[in-house]
Amino acid sequence: NEIKNKLNFQINFCKHPRSNYNNKNFKLIEKNFRIIENNTSKQILKSDLIIFTGGSSLINNAILYQKKIIVLTSNNQSYFKTQIDYLIKFIDLEVINIDNIYKKMIQKNININDIITKTNLKTKNYQKFITNHLVFNKLEKSYEQVSNVIFND
């Protein structure tokens, strides 16, 4: 709600199609945000700021579309931690640890506007990631590239 209130953004929560959201934490999300199902790619394209909580391959869409990205982490996070840590390191994504954020907000050590400004600066790091990890050879069709890798052509 901090981002929503300070920046006057509408925040949508895009549900992962295979995740189970039957818990008290998701009830809070449903209460505070618009829930989107089976339309995440389109939402990324339309959004100004993307907040990721896990290792979804959809983060590649946000990078390709040059979207501002914030990654939420937790001290207890283990699912896709390696992928998230790699992206944070390689692209220098902006990270908010949710276990520490409330303490910092109370102490006034965090400013959402500053975080958003930092995400704008970090989009310049995307092109190297796109070139090195998302687009292998621009002169060759993707199915040809896959065939070459599989069959060692």
Side-chain angles (χ1 to χ4, degrees):
N1 272 343
E2 179 76 11
I3 294 172
K4 183 179 173 182
N5 294 335
K6 282 199 171 196
L7 301 177
N8 198 25
F9 282 175
Q10 176 182 341
I11 298 179
N12 298 328
F13 181 91
C14 296
K15 289 174 65 172
H16 189 282
R18 292 187 311 258
S19 290
N20 181 3
Y21 291 98
N22 294 328
N23 62 50
K24 65 180 180 179
N25 293 328
F26 189 67
K27 298 293 181 206
L28 289 171
I29 292 170
E30 285 181 311
K31 179 181 173 188
N32 291 293
F33 306 111
R34 183 174 157 224
I35 306 301
I36 306 289
E37 294 185 57
N38 302 318
N39 201 2
T40 304
S41 292
K42 187 175 181 181
Q43 292 301 312
I44 290 172
L45 183 59
K46 293 177 8 181
S47 298
D48 293 317
L49 173 68
I50 312 299
I51 300 174
F52 277 95
T53 59
S56 172
S57 61
L58 286 167
I59 198 165
N60 294 334
N61 291 16
I63 294 166
L64 285 168
Y65 296 140
Q66 302 285 310
K67 299 297 182 175
K68 296 173 276 192
I69 299 172
I70 295 174
V71 178
L72 295 183
T73 63
S74 166
N75 295 338
N76 299 319
Q77 190 170 15
S78 61
Y79 190 67
F80 285 115
K81 183 172 181 0
T82 304
Q83 180 187 9
I84 294 166
D85 288 347
Y86 178 77
L87 287 169
I88 290 167
K89 180 181 175 186
F90 193 91
I91 304 177
D92 189 30
L93 293 175
E94 195 60 33
V95 179
I96 297 175
N97 183 306
I98 59 173
D99 296 317
N100 303 328
I101 192 165
Y102 292 111
K103 185 171 115 180
K104 288 182 179 182
M105 287 176 134
I106 290 168
Q107 296 171 347
K108 306 290 185 213
N109 289 341
I110 192 164
N111 182 322
I112 296 300
N113 290 320
D114 289 344
I115 292 171
I116 303 300
T117 300
K118 288 179 188 177
T119 63
N120 280 330
L121 299 173
K122 295 182 183 207
T123 58
K124 71 180 187 295
N125 300 333
Y126 293 178
Q127 193 55 51
K128 183 177 178 184
F129 181 80
I130 291 168
T131 302
N132 291 341
H133 298 281
L134 299 181
V135 178
F136 181 68
N137 182 350
K138 292 181 182 179
L139 302 176
E140 190 176 32
K141 303 266 188 246
S142 60
Y143 64 85
E144 292 170 339
Q145 293 178 47
V146 171
S147 175
N148 289 340
V149 168
I150 293 173
F151 299 112
N152 295 319
D153 290 346

